[in-house]
Amino acid sequence: MHDAKTHLSRIIERVEGGEEVFIDRAGTPVAKVVPLVRRVNRTAIGSLAGQLDLSGEWDSPQTNDDIADTFGVGA
């Protein structure tokens, strides 16, 4: 535990590299430090290119009315 406090920045560097680090007290594991799984940043134009299908009647009046009905929004 004391080593973890002393070397926290090194532990974080290892975790940033994808490693899972176990911390123990008197030989008994008490914690596991793991990398966070970050969400993909989708703010850039074109970041969903090739992942969406907007063909057909996706923006037709009928489709819009169906969506409005689904969410209880009056037209």
Side-chain angles (χ1 to χ4, degrees):
M1 185 69 72
H2 177 70
D3 286 342
K5 290 181 191 179
T6 303
H7 302 291
L8 181 61
S9 60
R10 290 183 194 159
I11 291 170
I12 297 301
E13 286 175 5
R14 289 170 54 190
V15 170
E16 286 175 330
E19 186 177 344
E20 294 182 353
V21 177
F22 291 88
I23 298 174
D24 65 75
R25 177 179 290 141
T28 302
V30 294
K32 178 168 74 169
V33 184
V34 299
L36 285 176
V37 178
R38 295 187 175 142
R39 288 198 238 163
V40 177
N41 182 3
R42 299 217 189 272
T43 58
I45 293 175
S47 65
L48 292 175
Q51 298 181 39
L52 297 175
D53 180 12
L54 301 179
S55 61
E57 299 292 320
W58 72 272
D59 195 28
S60 71
Q62 178 62 43
T63 301
N64 290 331
D65 289 342
D66 291 344
I67 292 169
D69 288 342
T70 299
F71 289 97
V73 179

